[in-house]
Amino acid sequence: MPYSPMPLQLETARLSMRPWTESDVDAHRVLVAERGGGLPSIEDNRRMIEDQRAASTLTGIALLAVIRRDVGDFIGYCGLTVGRASVDEPEIAYELLRRVHGQGYATEAASAVLEAAIATGRKRLWSTVRPWNAPSLRVLEKLGFQRDHVSADDRGELVWLTHSLP
């Protein structure tokens, strides 16, 4: 692999990010349910987490569980994924429980992941966001992402943003 693996433990002033554990399953099910479409089964959720772990082993990048350091609770995930992009130029992705929106956690977590991406030796990241998701677009703007193009899929328009890394 031409890149260093992404660190699987990241710390910020308020957050710890780490690989998924069994203790994350119930809170992650709630997070998935907040998207609409109901609560996934425990088995389906465990499979999603195992798929993430397997992908991380193959790619050297990961989506990490985000934990508030002062409370110790799971509040979402943040990390790098192939997603709609590639291993060479992965996507930064994050999703937090609604109860913690608006507190700067997404920006804080994504900033740490951006630094981790730089440390792997990658030169560019992508992100894809629905145009209605103004909070995510603001987070990406704060991090230095710039709009590249718009595409469409079966769920509608998708804004593609990119960030060149040093």
Side-chain angles (χ1 to χ4, degrees):
M1 186 180 301
Y3 305 103
S4 299
M6 175 184 161
L8 298 180
Q9 300 280 340
L10 301 173
E11 299 282 328
T12 71
R14 300 182 297 163
L15 305 171
S16 292
M17 289 175 273
R18 57 158 174 74
W20 301 86
T21 65
E22 181 66 25
S23 66
D24 301 326
V25 169
D26 288 335
H28 186 256
R29 288 175 68 218
V30 171
L31 179 66
V32 171
E34 285 185 350
R35 298 176 195 159
L39 194 65
S41 72
I42 291 172
E43 293 75 28
D44 285 347
N45 197 264
R46 281 192 180 122
R47 203 168 13 260
M48 277 188 268
I49 289 172
E50 284 306 314
D51 289 348
Q52 284 294 332
R53 284 189 192 140
S56 178
T57 300
L58 291 174
T59 62
I61 58 176
L63 293 176
L64 302 173
V66 177
I67 311 301
R68 289 192 291 187
R69 292 172 67 177
D70 62 344
V71 183
D73 60 336
F74 171 98
I75 60 168
Y77 65 82
C78 185
L80 299 176
T81 184
V82 172
R84 297 176 183 92
S86 68
V87 172
D88 291 336
E89 296 184 357
E91 279 193 69
I92 191 168
Y94 46 87
E95 185 177 17
L96 300 179
L97 290 163
R98 286 186 189 142
R99 66 182 169 80
V100 300
H101 285 191
Q103 298 178 49
Y105 292 128
T107 302
E108 188 172 330
S111 292
V113 168
L114 188 62
E115 291 301 316
I118 292 167
T120 70
R122 287 179 169 78
K123 296 300 176 199
R124 183 160 70 164
L125 297 181
W126 290 91
S127 186
T128 54
V129 181
R130 300 289 170 191
W132 54 260
N133 193 341
S136 276
L137 290 168
R138 277 195 305 278
V139 167
L140 293 164
E141 183 181 321
K142 287 180 199 172
L143 295 175
F145 279 78
Q146 298 180 342
R147 287 177 186 246
D148 186 84
H149 66 279
V150 176
S151 68
D153 64 11
D154 59 343
R155 293 178 42 218
E157 280 193 351
L158 204 54
V159 178
W160 290 72
L161 301 101
T162 188
H163 191 306
S164 294
L165 305 177

